[in-house]
Amino acid sequence: MILSLEDHYMTVEYDFLKACWGQPTERTPVWLMRQAGRYLPQYMEVRKNVTFLELCKTPELAAEVTIQPIDYLGADAAILFSDILTPVEPMGMELDFNPGPVFADPIRTKAQIDALRIPEMEEDVPYVLETIKILRREFEGRVPLIGFAGAPFTLACYMVEGKGSKDFAQIKRMMYAEPELFAALMEKVVEMDRQYLNAQIVAGAQAVQIFDTWGGIVSPVDFERFILPYVQKLINGLNRDGVPVIYFVKGSGAMLDLVKKAGSDVVGLDWYIGLNTAREILGDDVAVQGNLDPTVLYAPQPEIEAQVKRILDENAGRPGHIFNLGHGILPTVPPENARFMVECVHRLSQK
Ligand code: CP3
């Protein structure tokens, strides 16, 4: 009998997806946020001929760099190569990377918000959907593919600030001084995100991660008031049957109870909180992902191994743990240390 591609996928049980659903696995699955990127010489080789945006927009190349860390690290899941700001450009915002994202004309007025359009995903970001399709064929039976988007608040931060920021004064000023403006912007971004992630799921993404890198820069009450309702609306609007949703909020250790209310299947953790403490707060009906400090990868290997063991010990064999860094891998980390970390997770967690 010849199995169709879909039938074949159904027969493969991926540790990463099982852990997302809170099911036990033989060993702890592991991947790294920003696992494709500048710390890998093979990435730099591809990147030297194209800009970052060209790389994101060329499916064959985006697929190639997505595969690189799977081949090199032996990670248990792949994450689509793109950027959280890719779908914001076709909303009508001119985007450049230098190396961080820069918007030429940051959002400050109601007229600018009204002018933002919701992209037609098939027409405006076809390269993202095509990359996903290529990767599903390439990874058949090997690793599952994670799609992703920036959380509404984190995207709004870049759209309003125009680039990264130390104090995020502009977005916070809008939030506190012009709350209706802030709400109008967030509503638009939620709708874009919803359609964008659903299009990725249709194209073949087997899990999706929502990156809220800046969600931790407000107080817990303001997280509940200005961030949580929009993430809830987004997650509720996803066609998530069989597709686990991961929500990562950097700096959220003091408000994990609220983060859980967003309704994701997996909560991503940074390293500011112990995995044991986090799991006590979150309860056992949600899986966790994390949470090694990315700078530990500069340490000698015995220290890396000790830190991996410490985190596995904090998890104490509970199902529903995906090992990861607490934030993206840094560009100057020795690649062999990242590979050693993955090997440690597999060896030390093997039942
Ligand atoms: O994880 C992966 O391997 C998938 C690809 C991915 C990238 N960015 C590639 C990238 C993902 C998931 C992201 C998410 C992203 N992008 C976030 C959320 C996660 C996080 O790290 O906080 C944010 C805030 C962005 C915005 C962004 N893009 C910044 C701030 C920068 C520059 C920072 C830096 O590292 O210098 C980027 C550029 C970027 N995105 C690069 C890569 C590989 C470097 C581009 C290059 O090759 O020059």
Side-chain angles (χ1 to χ4, degrees):
M1 188 179 74
I2 297 167
L3 289 178
S4 76
L5 216 50
E6 274 311 317
D7 289 338
H8 179 84
Y9 293 144
M10 303 298 279
T11 66
V12 180
E13 293 217 316
Y14 294 114
D15 279 350
F16 167 78
L17 293 175
K18 285 165 87 177
C20 287
W21 298 124
Q23 295 162 5
T25 52
E26 278 300 304
R27 56 186 200 179
T28 303
V30 49
W31 68 281
L32 282 66
M33 287 194 272
R34 292 284 193 94
Q35 64 189 5
R38 287 166 295 180
Y39 74 104
L40 285 178
Q42 48 273 52
Y43 172 85
M44 293 313 288
E45 194 55 38
V46 175
R47 176 70 170 77
K48 73 174 193 226
N49 305 311
V50 288
T51 66
F52 174 64
L53 272 172
E54 283 165 351
L55 179 50
C56 292
K57 292 177 184 180
T58 313
E60 293 70 26
L61 295 182
E64 182 181 341
V65 300
T66 306
I67 297 166
Q68 287 173 350
I70 303 305
D71 289 343
Y72 179 74
L73 300 174
D76 295 292
I79 182 160
L80 164 72
F81 189 83
S82 185
D83 195 80
I84 58 168
L85 296 167
T86 312
V88 175
E89 193 181 38
M91 291 181 87
M93 295 193 70
E94 199 187 312
L95 173 65
D96 205 359
F97 280 87
N98 184 23
V102 183
F103 285 114
D105 196 11
I107 303 282
R108 300 290 157 83
T109 66
K110 182 70 167 47
Q112 284 175 300
I113 296 169
D114 291 340
L116 290 172
R117 56 186 284 274
I118 307 293
E120 292 292 332
M121 299 306 164
E122 300 277 349
E123 270 137 52
D124 289 310
V125 287
Y127 40 86
V128 170
L129 308 179
E130 181 55 29
T131 305
I132 291 175
K133 288 174 193 162
I134 295 174
L135 287 168
R136 279 300 300 270
R137 290 195 292 273
E138 291 288 330
F139 286 140
E140 184 197 339
R142 192 173 173 208
V143 284
L145 178 67
I146 307 168
F148 72 90
F153 182 73
T154 289
L155 293 182
C157 283
Y158 285 104
M159 293 167 83
V160 172
E161 298 290 340
K163 53 185 175 0
S165 169
K166 276 203 169 66
D167 51 19
F168 293 93
Q170 295 293 339
I171 182 79
K172 287 184 164 181
R173 191 199 58 78
M174 184 187 283
M175 194 170 92
Y176 294 120
E178 297 181 285
E180 23 0 272
L181 221 61
F182 176 82
L185 176 60
M186 290 291 278
E187 288 292 351
K188 219 150 196 177
V189 178
V190 167
E191 182 53 20
M192 181 283 289
D193 258 347
R194 190 186 68 78
Q195 294 189 26
Y196 184 53
L197 285 173
N198 280 336
Q200 291 186 39
I201 291 169
V202 169
Q206 290 151 294
V208 291
Q209 174 154 327
I210 299 169
F211 285 91
D212 220 347
T213 306
W214 304 121
I217 65 167
V218 299
S219 66
V221 281
D222 288 340
F223 178 88
E224 189 165 24
R225 181 167 154 216
F226 292 111
I227 298 182
L228 181 61
Y230 302 99
V231 185
Q232 283 173 328
K233 186 169 178 182
L234 169 60
I235 293 178
N236 280 331
L238 297 180
N239 302 323
R240 57 194 283 208
D241 255 14
V243 179
V245 176
I246 308 164
Y247 182 38
F248 168 68
V249 188
K250 181 146 190 292
S252 64
M255 50 194 187
L256 283 179
D257 51 332
L258 298 173
V259 170
K260 184 180 178 179
K261 284 189 186 170
S264 64
D265 303 291
V266 184
V267 171
L269 300 169
D270 65 24
W271 62 96
Y272 295 98
I273 186 163
L275 197 76
N276 45 356
T277 314
R279 296 213 81 166
E280 274 156 35
I281 297 166
L282 289 165
D284 51 18
D285 56 344
V286 67
V288 293
Q289 176 175 281
N291 66 344
L292 183 70
D293 181 337
T295 54
V296 169
L297 295 184
Y298 290 112
Q301 295 192 344
E303 174 67 16
I304 295 174
E305 178 155 351
Q307 293 255 2
V308 167
K309 182 173 185 305
R310 189 255 312 159
I311 291 171
L312 292 171
D313 287 348
E314 285 174 357
N315 184 59
R318 281 172 281 209
H321 175 215
I322 299 131
F323 202 100
N324 205 316
L325 302 177
H327 197 195
I329 188 168
L330 295 163
T332 53
V333 155
E336 59 274 18
N337 285 4
R339 180 157 73 174
F340 177 73
M341 184 212 91
V342 169
E343 189 265 314
C344 284
V345 174
H346 285 155
R347 175 166 41 83
L348 298 173
S349 67
Q350 183 75 44
K351 296 222 170 74

